[in-house]
Amino acid sequence: MCGIIGYTGKEEVKEILLDALESLEYRGYDSAGIAVSDQEAEEIQIFKCAGRVSDLKRVCADEEIHAKCGIGHTRWATHGGVSNVNAHPHQVGRVTVVHNGIIENYKELAAEYRLNGQLKSETDSEVAAAVLNALYNGNPRETIYQAVSRLQGTFALVILFEDFPGRIFSIRNVSPIVATQSEEGCMLASDVTALCRFTNRYFVVPEYCLLELSEDGIALSDMQGKAVEPEYMEVNWGLNSSDKGGYPFYMEKEIMEQPEAIQNTIQNRIVDGMPDFTEDGVPDSLFVNCERVCVVACGTAMHAGLIAQSLVKSILNMHMDVELASEYMYTDPVVDEKTLVIAISQSGETIDTLEALKYARKQGARSLAIINVKGSSIARASEYVLYTDAGPEMAVASTKAYTTQLALIYLIVAKMAQVRGVWKEKQVKEYIAELKRVPSAIEKVLERRKEIHLIAKNILEAKDLFMIGRGLDYSLLLEGSLKLKEVSYIHSEAYASGELKHGPIALITNHTPVVAVVTQTRIMQKEISNIKEVQSRGARVILFIKGELLQSLRQEIEIFTLPNLRDEFMVIPASVALQLMAYYVSSDKGFDVDKPRNLAKVVTVE
Ligand code: M6R
C-alpha cells in the first residue's frame, strides 16, 4: 500500500514524478505529494494535497518547479485521516521523508524523542522523519541506521537531507523498494510498474541495505557499509503495457487481455501435450513427496485456491486446505515437512500471505508460489515460483491475475495426477488439450459482451443481490460476488444454492436479483431446483449456463449461454462473464471502476 517514487538525473523531475505516481496510484489514492530538491535554491520544496494525483497535478500546475531530483508518494491512509497535512512527504528540520508501511512504536518514539511539539500530522510516518532529524549528525548513513534500529514495524523509507541536494537515500524492512538506472538517471519505486517506461531492468533493494541515488549512479551497501552488488532482473512486460490501450478503464482492458494472458501462461509449460515446469525449475518430486497441500492467499487469490481445492479433491482424491492468509498462523494450522504450501498472490507483496508463507516454512513446509510480479517479496520467500504471465494488472479489481492463476492451477493438478500415478498419460493429455481450448472459449464470451452489458443494466438499481450455484459454480461465484461488490458497491453474497433454504432464502424478495451459474453436469438438476425455489419467491433470476445444459430449462429466465468446455474448465469462461457484468454495472453507474473507494491494489498492512 502507498506508492513511492524517487528520481535523480538529467531530466526535470516534476513530470517524471507525477507520471510515475499516476502509474502507482492503484497502491493508494487518498492523497499525493512530491518533494523536489532544487540545487540552485538549495531547499526542498513540497507540494501535496488530499485527493488523487490529478489533484496534485492541479496544485503543481502553476508552480515554477525546476529540479532534477525528487521523491513522491501516493497514500492509502492508515494512521491519520485523509487530509492535506497527513499527505506525504513529511518534512521535519533538514529531513524530508516518504514512507510505506507502519511504524508500530511511533507513539513511544514520539515520547522518547520529545517530538510532539514538532509534529504537524497524525501519521506514524512523520514520527520517522522526526526521529531521523533528531538523530541527524551530518552523516546520512549513520543517521539512517541509527534511526531504523529504533523503528518497529514495516517500512520503505525514502529520504532527502537538505544538505545533500541531488541525493536520495532509501532503506526498507518488508515493504518493497525496487530501483534502476537508465541513461536518463536513477530511479526507485514501490514496484516495477513505475519504472517500466524507462527500462525493463530493475533490482529489488535487499532489506536493511542502504540505497543511495545520485548523479554518480546507484550505490547499495549493507549495514557494515560494505558495497552490495544489485541483482538485476528483467521484466518482460512491454514498456507501455501498463497503458489503458484505448479502453476507458484498465479493468476492461485487463478483462479483454485474458485469452492472451492465459495463452502466455500455459504455452511454455506444455511440452508434448504434458505439463512441464522444467523451465521454472520446479521439480516433480515437490508434488510427489507431499502428504498435505495447503493454499494460503487473500481475496481473489484465495478464491483461485478454492477452485484448486475442488480439483485436487475430485481428481486426486486428496484433501487440501485453503486458508485465509490473514487467519493462518492464528488458527493453529496443521503444517509440517510433509506439507506443500502454495502461496497465491498477484502482487507478491500481500503481507498476510507473505507472513503465512514464512510461518509455514518455519514449520518445515515445502513451498511453491503462484505470483504475477517477478522478484516480489512472496516470490523471494518461496522455495519455488510459478509466474503467471498476465502482464501488469493495474485495476484494483483482479481479473486476468485470477484466470491466469487458475490456468497454472490446472497445470499443477495435471502434473500432480501424472506424477502421483493417478492418471495415465492419455488422461493427462486430454485434460491439457481442453485447457488449451480455454482462451478461445473466453474469446467467445468477450465477443458477446454487449449481451452481458444489457444484463448488467437490469441490476443497476439493486441494493442487495445473491449469487447461487453448487460445487465449482459456488466457488467461482464467491469470486464473482467479490468482483461485483468491490466495483459497484452493491451488497452481493454468494451462497451454495443448497444452503439457501437453511436461512438466507428469508432475504429473497421480488426486489432481489439472483445470479445463478450452472455449469456442472452432475449437479445441474439440483441447481435448477434451487433456482425455481427463489423464482417462486419472486426473485428475478439471471442465469449463466453452459450451452449444452440449456435445453431442459424454461425460458422465462434471463439467460446467457456459456461456451462448452469440460465441466472443470467452465470456471474460467463463467468468471469472465461475471467480471464483465461487474464492470458494466460499475461503469454505467459512473464510478471510477479502477479505483474503488477505500481499496488499494497492493495490501502491505496486516
Ligand atoms: O496481490 P494479491 O493477489 O495477493 O492480492 C490479494 C487481494 O488483496 C486481492 O485479490 C483483492 O481481493 C482484489 N481487490 C480482488 O479484486
Side-chain angles (χ1 to χ4, degrees), residues 275-520:
D276 191 311
F277 300 131
T278 314
E279 279 192 17
D280 301 288
V282 180
D284 289 357
S285 58
L286 189 69
F287 304 111
V288 181
N289 297 337
C290 57
E291 284 174 7
R292 235 189 312 276
V293 188
C294 172
V295 166
V296 290
C298 302
T300 293
M302 190 276 292
H303 292 153
L306 292 176
I307 303 296
Q309 184 184 46
S310 295
L311 298 173
V312 163
K313 213 155 64 161
S314 65
I315 296 173
L316 301 165
N317 191 25
M318 191 176 170
H319 177 77
M320 180 183 199
D321 292 316
V322 178
E323 303 271 3
L324 289 171
S326 56
E327 291 287 297
Y328 184 63
M329 55 188 163
Y330 310 110
T331 49
D332 307 314
V334 180
V335 52
D336 58 20
E337 55 288 347
K338 290 282 176 200
T339 310
L340 171 62
V341 165
I342 304 183
I344 308 179
S345 172
Q346 186 284 131
S347 61
E349 299 296 347
T350 303
I351 192 131
D352 291 324
T353 309
L354 178 63
E355 294 300 327
L357 172 65
K358 286 184 180 167
Y359 177 89
R361 287 204 66 185
K362 264 199 206 130
Q363 317 306 312
R366 309 301 306 274
S367 61
L368 172 67
I370 297 178
I371 303 289
N372 195 39
V373 180
K374 218 172 176 181
S376 52
S377 302
I378 299 173
R380 284 178 289 115
S382 175
E383 269 177 291
Y384 299 103
V385 187
L386 291 172
Y387 287 106
T388 47
D389 295 295
E393 193 181 63
M394 308 295 285
V396 165
S398 190
T399 53
K400 61 178 178 171
Y402 173 69
T403 49
T404 51
Q405 285 159 0
L406 293 179
L408 280 180
I409 284 166
Y410 288 115
L411 286 175
I412 291 170
V413 171
K415 172 57 84 182
M416 288 181 83
Q418 175 199 351
V419 298
R420 293 173 80 96
V422 176
W423 273 349
K424 302 222 163 40
E425 187 176 319
K426 182 169 173 284
Q427 287 169 291
V428 180
K429 284 191 167 167
E430 281 168 6
Y431 178 89
I432 293 294
E434 191 71 350
L435 175 61
K436 285 164 84 174
R437 293 185 56 219
V438 167
S440 67
I442 300 176
E443 296 281 9
K444 287 186 186 133
V445 175
L446 297 177
E447 279 159 17
R448 291 169 49 216
R449 60 190 180 282
K450 282 196 181 139
E451 291 170 52
I452 298 177
H453 197 167
L454 289 177
I455 289 174
K457 287 192 185 300
N458 288 331
I459 54 172
L460 290 183
E461 304 308 322
K463 296 268 174 295
D464 302 289
L465 180 147
F466 289 88
M467 297 200 180
I468 60 169
R470 285 172 177 249
L472 280 174
D473 291 337
Y474 168 53
S475 302
L476 77 88
L477 283 166
L478 288 168
E479 172 56 15
S481 176
L482 173 64
K483 215 81 309 165
L484 184 69
K485 73 183 109 182
E486 73 182 323
V487 298
S488 76
Y489 315 138
I490 293 174
H491 168 237
S492 161
E493 298 218 36
Y495 275 102
S497 43
E499 187 63 16
L500 277 183
K501 55 190 174 296
H502 299 288
I505 203 162
L507 296 169
I508 302 288
T509 68
N510 48 6
H511 299 296
T512 333
V514 173
V515 173
V517 170
V518 178
T519 70
Q520 302 299 300

Side-chain angles (χ1 to χ4, degrees), residues 547-597:
E548 66 192 22
L549 302 180
L550 185 63
Q551 60 278 25
S552 60
L553 263 181
R554 290 214 318 272
Q555 297 290 315
E556 69 253 29
I557 311 181
E558 198 167 357
I559 291 175
F560 182 87
T561 51
L562 295 162
N564 298 318
L565 287 171
R566 252 169 82 154
D567 283 4
E568 305 94 298
F569 296 94
M570 286 304 299
V571 172
I572 294 188
S575 297
V576 172
L578 296 178
Q579 292 167 356
L580 283 166
M581 187 180 78
Y583 170 74
Y584 287 125
V585 173
S586 179
S587 60
D588 282 5
K589 285 181 142 198
F591 295 149
D592 185 345
V593 183
D594 292 334
K595 299 189 184 92
R597 69 179 174 222

